[in-house]
Amino acid sequence: MDEHGYLITDRRTRTNVPGVFAAGEIADPIFRQVISSAGDGCKAAMEVEKYLADLEDRAHPGRNSRVTWRFLF
């Protein structure tokens, strides 16, 4: 978190805590607009999906079936 209370993320919405992603107004001190938040939320959801798939691969190496995660907004 920065000195103004915004969460710090990289370009892929990842925070410094593994598995924690931030999007929208909590992480955007410049634009803080609904449309930007919606786009960031989609980006974060896609990154979470990759993160969870990687966790599944590490938990069950060599497994042919992959879990498909779905996110509802």
Side-chain angles (χ1 to χ4, degrees), residues 6-37:
Y6 291 96
L7 296 182
I8 299 169
T9 64
D10 64 10
R11 292 180 57 202
R12 295 173 58 187
T13 70
R14 297 177 295 190
T15 66
N16 63 340
V17 179
V20 176
F21 299 78
E25 295 179 8
I26 191 69
D28 184 0
I30 300 168
F31 298 107
R32 297 188 323 206
Q33 298 174 2
V34 172
I35 195 66
S36 298
S37 297

Side-chain angles (χ1 to χ4, degrees), residues 47-60:
E47 289 298 327
V48 169
E49 183 176 22
K50 291 177 195 172
Y51 178 82
L52 293 174
D54 288 344
L55 286 180
E56 180 71 15
D57 285 345
R58 279 187 256 146
H60 305 286

